[in-house]
Amino acid sequence: MNQMVLKFSLVLKILNPLVGKRSLFLSLFLINGFLFAQDPLGSETVTVVKPYSPSVRDASKIRETPTRADSVNTAKKPVQYSIFSVPVASTFTPAKGRATNLERERPPKVYDNYATLGFGNYSNVLAEFYSNLEVNRTDNFGIFLTHNSSQGGIEGVRLDDQFYDTELNLSYTRRDRELSWKTEVGGQHQLFNWYGLPEIPALSNDQVMDIDPTQNYFSVYAGGEIDLYDSFFDKAKAKFRHSGDAYGSSENHFDARGTFEVNIAGELITSDITADIVNGQFEEVALDGTGQDYTFMNFGFSPSLLVLRDDLTLNLGIGLFYSLDPENSDNNFYLYPQITASYRLSGDLLTAYAGIEGDLEQNTYYKFFQENPFVSPALAIQPTETEYDAYVGAKGRLTTFLGYNVRAGYASQFNKALFRRNPTGPIASMENYGYGNSFQVVYDDVNTLSLFGELNVDVNRNFYLSLNAEYFNYSTDEEAEAWNLPNVKASLNADYQITEKWYAGGNIFFRSERQDLAIIDNRPVDGSLSEAYVVLDSYFDLNAHLGYRFNEQLSAFVRGNNLLNNNYERWTNFQVQGLQVLAGATYKFDF
């Protein structure tokens, strides 16, 4: 081994001049390879005495504010300047300012009393009187009297067709910080005639002269209502009405309703309580053998939860009703959904809404002769049950002055009241209303599909226009048709303030065809009974008014009704008056 090292040293001495210092690394590499090739090492065990302890070398931290190494530093020189002012001669002298007086618009004076009187063709008379007497700062006493009458004169009518309707209402109200309440009493007298004689059977003049078609309706009422501002008992109202007619019919109707509101955990819970009691009797026997004494007592409880979440309004409620029929020893419980919801999808542009609601509605004799004054003085009275009325729709404003509302609905009703013409009986035993010139009430289960659309144009305070239309499709259970109900109803209403003194307005109504049934019953004489469908034509009814204000107190007006002069039939064989023009004046005053 020593000889090999000696020989290698001699080789380095010989090569050193050739390779120089720069070839030292290469030389060492060759030596190592040479040694390894000559004497390779065997496998050995290496024992680590001390574990490896790494350390982090200190680093130089860069300073946040570096030192500027600039050999040239230039000092700022101060700038000195002066303004060269030249005086300018001026002869302008400003005038002293003065505040401008604003012209304040005087608010219109509100008068506590007014009287209206008008006269027209067909001997039409319109009269109204209203007075509000201030008892003290919180109490007021009101008087309202209205009268509308006509002496008739419809062309082709063989019986008297005059009518009048007069009502007097007295009220007393109080309003203070905690509550407000109102009480009222009143009376109403109405006169109508069963003048709608059919063509068949044909009656002679003597037979017509024996008919007294006049019917008088009377009613008196008393009631009150109260609103509490800071109480869980929100409001309540009640009314009692006694109604009757010239044929001995009598009816007592009491209707009371109250509302309670409780706020629990930020949610509003509302409960409505109702009591609807009606009792009546007819001295006349209905032509179909129905219509005697009747009594119904309906009690309802309707709780609901109002949920408000941003743009969502949700009302979750149910209706619980108990109906008692003492005359027939019958009673029933009813449960109805009362759920409504609305959601603002795009601000005022679009609000979607939907609901499903049910109710129990008590029918009364007074309600029937207000809707159709030509009913016979003996009717079948019972409540109507709306099992559900489901609807979905959308409403909003397309522009700042154009609003819309569209809705589709489907309702299921049990014992829905329908007006149908009374049968014509044997002439020898006829009543004054038994010549096919009066109407009865029949009940049937009816399902109704409805589509509704409405547009409202409110350009400014001086012009307003409303247009709506509704389509109905009826499905009856026992009756052949939904008697006297139109499939299409539409109306247009407009009001226009032309100038400060002139104003005008108008409306037009449309009703599509309706179905009725004509029955001639001669079974007591010859055993014959005939039935025939009657189709009432559709009609338009155009009405308008024009007024002029002389001053704040006195104004004059002209009204025109049925301007198209259509002698249409609102009910079978009952033509309406033709073109009607009425002129009058209104005077406002204070005592």
Side-chain angles (χ1 to χ4, degrees):
M1 182 68 182
N2 294 332
Q3 293 178 358
M4 292 176 62
V5 174
L6 179 60
K7 292 179 180 181
F8 187 75
S9 300
L10 292 176
V11 173
L12 290 177
K13 288 182 181 182
I14 296 173
L15 296 176
N16 186 45
L18 298 176
V19 298
K21 297 181 178 179
R22 296 182 178 179
S23 301
L24 179 60
F25 176 79
L26 179 59
S27 301
L28 294 175
F29 177 77
L30 294 174
I31 293 171
N32 290 332
F34 182 77
L35 294 176
F36 178 78
Q38 294 296 324
D39 190 8
L41 297 176
S43 299
E44 296 183 2
T45 301
V46 179
T47 302
V48 179
V49 177
K50 181 180 180 181
Y52 174 69
S53 299
S55 61
V56 180
R57 185 177 179 181
D58 294 336
S60 299
K61 185 177 181 181
I62 299 176
R63 299 181 61 182
E64 295 181 358
T65 305
T67 303
R68 184 179 61 181
D70 194 352
S71 59
V72 179
N73 291 324
T74 304
K76 293 182 179 181
K77 295 183 179 180
V79 179
Q80 296 180 356
Y81 60 91
S82 61
I83 298 175
F84 181 70
S85 301
V86 178
V88 178
S90 176
T91 59
F92 173 74
T93 303
K96 294 182 179 181
R98 184 177 61 181
T100 302
N101 294 327
L102 297 177
E103 296 183 1
R104 301 176 59 185
E105 183 179 354
R106 186 179 64 176
K109 179 176 175 56
V110 178
Y111 292 91
D112 293 333
N113 315 279
Y114 79 87
T116 297
L117 185 62
F119 301 93
N121 61 335
Y122 293 98
S123 300
N124 291 344
V125 177
L126 173 66
E128 289 183 2
F129 173 77
Y130 175 77
S131 178
N132 180 43
L133 304 177
E134 184 176 350
V135 179
N136 51 47
R137 295 182 59 184
T138 60
D139 297 8
N140 293 82
F141 177 71
I143 303 173
F144 181 65
L145 174 66
T146 178
H147 171 83
N148 186 18
S149 65
S150 173
Q151 297 304 311
I154 300 175
E155 185 178 356
V157 173
R158 303 177 66 183
L159 296 173
D160 291 337
D161 59 327
Q162 66 181 16
F163 74 89
Y164 71 78
D165 185 354
T166 303
E167 181 177 3
L168 174 64
N169 177 277
L170 305 177
S171 62
Y172 192 92
T173 60
R174 167 174 286 186
R175 295 181 177 87
D176 53 31
R177 294 182 178 180
E178 297 181 354
L179 58 87
S180 64
W181 56 266
K182 174 184 178 180
T183 59
E184 62 176 352
V185 295
Q188 186 177 18
H189 179 206
Q190 298 171 291
L191 181 148
F192 294 94
N193 285 275
W194 293 300
Y195 63 87
L197 291 177
E199 295 181 357
I200 301 175
L203 302 178
S204 65
N205 291 333
D206 292 338
Q207 290 173 329
V208 172
M209 292 295 295
D210 291 337
I211 300 174
D212 180 10
T214 303
Q215 169 67 298
N216 287 273
Y217 298 109
F218 310 95
S219 68
V220 292
Y221 59 88
E225 57 185 77
I226 183 172
D227 290 334
L228 287 82
Y229 305 140
D230 297 319
S231 174
F232 73 96
F233 178 62
D234 183 39
K235 57 186 177 182
K237 62 179 181 180
K239 176 178 283 190
F240 172 81
R241 182 186 294 272
H242 172 78
S243 305
D245 61 22
Y247 284 78
S249 305
S250 176
E251 179 182 76
N252 298 309
H253 182 210
F254 175 76
D255 184 16
R257 302 175 184 271
T259 301
F260 297 85
E261 292 184 350
V262 179
N263 197 318
I264 299 177
E267 306 293 348
L268 182 63
I269 298 178
T270 303
S271 299
D272 294 329
I273 299 176
T274 62
D276 195 333
I277 303 173
V278 62
N279 169 263
Q281 59 183 2
F282 295 104
E283 292 189 3
E284 295 288 315
V285 177
L287 299 178
D288 60 356
T290 62
Q292 296 297 318
D293 297 348
Y294 57 94
T295 300
F296 290 95
M297 305 174 67
N298 303 321
F299 303 95
F301 175 65
S302 303
S304 64
L305 171 64
L306 180 62
V307 179
L308 300 175
R309 296 293 185 273
D310 297 330
D311 294 329
L312 174 65
T313 301
L314 181 62
N315 192 4
L316 303 174
I318 58 173
L320 303 172
F321 290 88
Y322 173 71
S323 180
L324 177 63
D325 181 6
E327 299 292 338
N328 298 311
S329 301
D330 187 19
N331 61 84
N332 291 284
F333 283 95
Y334 302 95
L335 176 63
Y336 305 111
Q338 295 179 351
I339 302 173
T340 61
S342 65
Y343 186 78
R344 298 179 61 184
L345 294 172
S346 181
D348 293 336
L349 180 63
L350 176 61
T351 299
Y353 63 91
I356 177 170
E357 301 178 86
D359 196 8
L360 183 67
E361 179 184 4
Q362 178 59 60
N363 296 307
T364 64
Y365 183 46
Y366 176 81
K367 173 189 172 183
F368 286 149
F369 69 68
Q370 290 300 309
E371 185 176 354
N372 183 354
F374 309 113
V375 294
S376 57
L379 301 175
I381 306 295
Q382 56 182 291
T384 295
E385 178 189 358
T386 300
E387 183 184 20
Y388 62 85
D389 182 4
Y391 57 88
V392 60
K395 60 183 179 180
R397 302 195 69 86
L398 299 176
T399 64
T400 56
F401 59 87
L402 181 61
Y404 69 93
N405 184 12
V406 292
R407 183 181 69 244
Y410 188 83
S412 174
Q413 294 178 291
F414 299 141
N415 293 329
K416 181 178 179 63
L418 303 172
F419 293 106
R420 193 181 71 188
R421 179 177 157 187
N422 268 318
T424 302
I427 296 177
S429 60
M430 283 185 180
E431 300 287 347
N432 293 318
Y433 53 87
Y435 294 83
N437 57 336
S438 65
F439 293 85
Q440 61 179 315
V441 174
V442 296
Y443 296 88
D444 196 9
D445 298 340
V446 180
N447 296 329
T448 306
L449 172 67
S450 62
L451 301 174
F452 173 80
E454 181 180 33
L455 284 177
N456 294 312
V457 181
D458 192 359
V459 178
N460 49 45
R461 296 178 59 187
N462 297 329
F463 179 75
Y464 174 78
L465 177 68
S466 174
L467 172 65
N468 64 74
E470 192 164 10
Y471 167 79
F472 303 93
N473 185 280
Y474 303 101
S475 175
T476 57
D477 184 23
E478 296 182 357
E479 299 293 328
E481 296 287 343
W483 308 117
N484 284 290
L485 293 180
N487 292 110
V488 178
K489 296 194 302 183
S491 65
L492 184 147
N493 300 277
D495 286 299
Y496 182 43
Q497 184 69 39
I498 304 173
T499 64
E500 183 179 355
K501 293 183 177 294
W502 287 96
Y503 61 93
N507 53 65
I508 183 169
F509 300 96
F510 171 77
R511 297 293 183 270
S512 64
E513 293 181 348
R514 289 137 291 141
Q515 300 279 344
D516 203 347
L517 187 64
I519 302 176
I520 300 179
D521 188 0
N522 279 322
R523 287 177 295 182
V525 179
D526 56 13
S528 64
L529 176 68
S530 63
E531 296 182 355
Y533 288 100
V534 178
V535 178
L536 282 73
D537 295 334
S538 60
Y539 65 88
F540 283 93
D541 192 339
L542 176 62
N543 310 285
H545 67 269
L546 177 67
Y548 180 80
R549 295 185 180 91
F550 297 96
N551 49 48
E552 293 181 347
Q553 293 182 265
L554 181 62
S555 62
F557 61 87
V558 177
R559 299 179 183 176
N561 295 327
N562 195 9
L563 296 178
L564 300 178
N565 196 26
N566 292 330
N567 294 323
Y568 62 86
E569 296 179 0
R570 175 63 182 88
W571 305 99
T572 307
N573 298 324
F574 285 86
Q575 293 183 352
V576 301
Q577 295 178 350
L579 176 63
Q580 306 159 47
V581 179
L582 183 143
T586 298
Y587 182 70
K588 303 176 184 179
F589 59 95
D590 286 333
F591 287 117

